[in-house]
């Protein structure tokens, strides 16, 4: 049972305090213990963990956060704890530290691609930048602050510059290189070569992962039943007049010289008898009213409208004369839009 303080948070956030017993109770609450035993870190080190756990009841307590107590509380040997610590370090995946949000990511992406390198090399540069440069910036500031005596002097230090930065960075890189070499030595040679091969392959690229996700998404979507939209019920997709799905009533005027087209459509539909006067004597307004009622009736029959609805703004032509207006209609519609 111990309280751990996690410091170095972003900005001015206070340190986070965690009680180990409460944290473990939270992490294991409701978890099947047999599933826990399947975790590789536990399954592969069962003998080691059991040896550490089976100590005499009167043994001195061991503080796992204080290596000075490891030998005292465990039969005079701390080798088991060191071995376990190494196993933990090998299995915990390091995460890139990105402290300044999305803007920082965008700047970093531009920085690593500055020399027009490809995706793979740019990605590796980004990883190196996170593991080395970002860690160094934090550590160097703390190191320089430790040399200052007053709080005011420490607060003024936000970045290390000049020769001090070069000196600190040289020391940091030397130490980092040694830790990398040590990690490589402790890693199984076969697994290390597999890791190198994976990093250099297309499988490690984010674009490959994105492509696979897209393919799987499309496959999943293809198996789903597509929702039929309202316009597709019964009569199928309704094509608008702007897409040559009908002739707009607004262009059928005497001024445009289209009365003869209106007459041809009425004759084709055989609805002259519905006019109060002979076709040649009837006003064009009355003829258009008749065609509008016909257009509404067609919509009602196609179940796209109900009786009493407002007439549509176009009619699907049946006569060759009326169909010949499609090119002219496109020109008139384009002129109207240009005026707007």
């Amino acid at each position: 049972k111990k309280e751990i303080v996690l410091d170095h948070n972003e900005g001015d956030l206070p340190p986070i305090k965690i009680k180990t017993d409460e944290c473990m109770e939270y992490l294991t609450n409701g978890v099947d213990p047999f599933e826990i035993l399947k975790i590789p870190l536990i399954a592969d080190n069962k003998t080691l963990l059991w040896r550490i756990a089976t100590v005499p009841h009167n043994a001195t307590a061991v503080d796992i956060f204080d290596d000075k107590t490891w030998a005292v509380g465990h039969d005079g040997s701390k080798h088991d704890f060191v071995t376990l610590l190494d196993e933990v370090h090998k299995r915990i995946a390091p995460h890139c530290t990105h402290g300044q949000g999305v803007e920082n990511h965008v700047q970093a992406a531009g920085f690593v691609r500055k020399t027009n390198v490809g995706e793979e090399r740019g990605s590796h540069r980004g990883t190196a930048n996170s593991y080395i440069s970002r860690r160094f910036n934090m550590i160097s500031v703390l190191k320089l602050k430790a040399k200052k005596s007053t709080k005011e002097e420490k607060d003024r230090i936000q970045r290390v510059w000049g020769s001090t930065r070069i000196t600190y960075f040289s020391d940091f890189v030397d130490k980092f290189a040694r830790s990398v070499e040590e990690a490589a030595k402790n890693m199984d040679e076969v697994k290390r070569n597999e890791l190198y091969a994976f990093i250099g392959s297309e499988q490690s690229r984010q674009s490959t992962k994105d492509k696979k996700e897209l393919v799987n998404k499309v496959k999943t979507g293809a198996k789903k039943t597509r929702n039929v939209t309202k316009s597709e019920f019964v009569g199928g997709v309704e094509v608008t007049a702007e897409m040559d799905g009908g002739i707009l009533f607004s262009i059928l005027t005497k001024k445009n010289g289209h009365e003869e087209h209106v007459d041809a459509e009425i004759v084709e539909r055989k609805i002259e008898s519905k006019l109060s006067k002979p076709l040649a004597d009837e006003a064009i307004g009355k003829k258009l009213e008749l065609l509008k009622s016909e257009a509404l009736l067609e919509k009602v029959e196609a179940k796209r409208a109900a009786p009493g609805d407002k007439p549509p703004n176009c009619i699907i032509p049946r006569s060759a004369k009326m169909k010949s207006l499609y090119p002219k209609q496109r020109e008139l519609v384009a002129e109207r839009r240009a005026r707007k």
Side-chain angles (χ1 to χ4, degrees):
K1 183 176 180 179
K2 185 180 180 69
E3 186 175 80
I4 308 170
V5 180
L6 302 179
D7 208 343
H8 309 306
N9 298 319
E10 291 185 22
D12 298 324
L13 294 176
I16 299 173
K17 296 181 180 180
I18 298 176
K19 294 182 178 179
T20 54
D21 55 338
E22 293 180 1
C23 180
M24 289 303 297
E25 185 177 349
Y26 169 76
L27 292 174
T28 57
N29 184 32
V31 179
D32 185 352
F34 292 100
E35 291 297 320
I36 294 178
L37 291 175
K38 295 178 183 177
I39 297 173
L41 177 62
I42 296 175
D44 297 346
N45 297 280
K46 198 176 294 183
T47 304
L48 173 64
L49 292 169
W50 188 251
R51 189 164 62 245
I52 291 174
T54 55
V55 294
H57 67 278
N58 59 348
T60 307
V62 173
D63 182 354
I64 61 173
F65 300 100
D66 183 4
D67 60 359
K68 294 184 180 66
T69 68
W70 293 356
V72 176
H74 193 62
D75 301 330
S77 171
K78 68 175 185 177
H79 176 72
D80 288 346
F81 289 96
V82 174
T83 304
L84 180 59
L85 181 63
D86 289 342
E87 285 295 320
V88 172
H89 286 162
K90 288 176 185 177
R91 292 177 183 274
I92 292 179
H95 292 270
C96 303
T97 54
H98 302 286
Q100 299 180 36
V102 176
E103 183 180 355
N104 199 304
H105 292 308
V106 173
Q107 292 173 350
F111 172 70
V112 298
R113 296 290 184 87
K114 208 168 185 179
T115 53
N116 295 324
V117 296
E119 176 189 351
E120 188 175 339
R121 181 167 292 187
S123 298
H124 297 331
R125 283 184 179 179
T127 303
N129 184 52
S130 291
Y131 288 164
I132 299 176
S133 300
R134 294 176 189 274
R135 284 181 58 210
F136 167 71
N137 289 336
M138 181 185 72
I139 292 172
S140 62
V141 168
L142 294 175
K143 188 175 180 180
L144 188 58
K145 281 184 176 183
K147 293 187 175 183
K148 304 299 179 182
S149 55
T150 65
K151 184 177 183 301
E152 290 75 15
E153 288 179 312
K154 293 180 179 181
D155 290 343
R156 283 198 295 267
I157 299 173
Q158 301 297 326
R159 190 91 165 179
V160 178
W161 300 99
S163 59
T164 304
R165 182 176 180 84
I166 296 173
T167 302
Y168 282 8
F169 189 67
S170 299
D171 295 339
F172 176 81
V173 171
D174 287 342
K175 187 177 179 180
F176 179 79
R178 286 194 295 271
S179 66
V180 171
E181 290 172 0
E182 187 65 28
K185 288 178 182 177
N186 293 332
M187 190 176 183
D188 181 77
E189 186 176 356
V190 175
K191 291 184 178 180
R192 184 172 70 246
N193 292 335
E194 289 176 355
L195 175 62
Y196 291 161
F198 172 75
I199 292 175
S201 69
E202 288 192 0
Q203 299 304 315
S204 67
R205 295 183 180 183
Q206 185 60 41
S207 61
T208 302
K209 298 174 185 177
D210 293 341
K211 192 184 297 180
K212 285 184 178 179
E213 287 179 6
L214 179 59
V215 170
N216 292 333
K217 189 175 180 181
V218 171
K219 284 182 178 178
T220 304
K223 295 176 182 178
K224 290 182 178 179
T225 303
R226 189 176 69 84
N227 294 328
V228 181
T229 60
K230 187 176 180 181
S231 63
E232 294 175 275
F233 283 117
V234 185
V237 177
E238 183 177 4
V239 183
T240 63
E242 287 79 1
M243 297 297 294
D244 288 352
I247 297 296
L248 293 166
F249 288 116
S250 59
I251 72 166
L252 299 174
T253 63
K254 273 190 174 182
K255 181 180 178 182
N256 290 333
H258 296 158
E259 186 170 7
E260 60 181 7
H261 299 80
V262 174
D263 292 347
E265 187 67 22
I266 291 174
V267 171
E268 181 69 26
R269 290 172 178 267
K270 298 181 174 58
I271 53 175
E272 305 99 308
S273 60
K274 293 182 180 182
L275 295 170
S276 58
K277 296 179 182 179
L279 183 60
D281 299 332
E282 189 63 89
I284 189 171
K286 294 292 184 180
K287 297 174 185 178
L288 290 175
E289 285 179 10
L290 178 59
L291 289 180
K292 286 180 181 180
S293 65
E294 286 289 308
L296 178 59
L297 182 61
E298 289 177 350
K299 278 200 164 250
V300 172
E301 290 175 350
K303 296 185 179 180
R304 292 201 184 109
D309 284 356
K310 184 179 178 182
N313 66 346
C314 67
I315 186 170
I316 300 174
R318 295 183 184 177
S319 65
K321 190 76 171 173
M322 186 71 90
K323 290 178 182 178
S324 67
L325 285 179
Y326 277 127
K328 181 65 174 177
Q329 176 175 263
R330 288 194 288 270
E331 292 178 11
L332 292 172
V333 170
E335 288 175 8
R336 284 182 189 175
R337 289 178 177 172
R339 286 197 294 270
K340 291 179 180 179

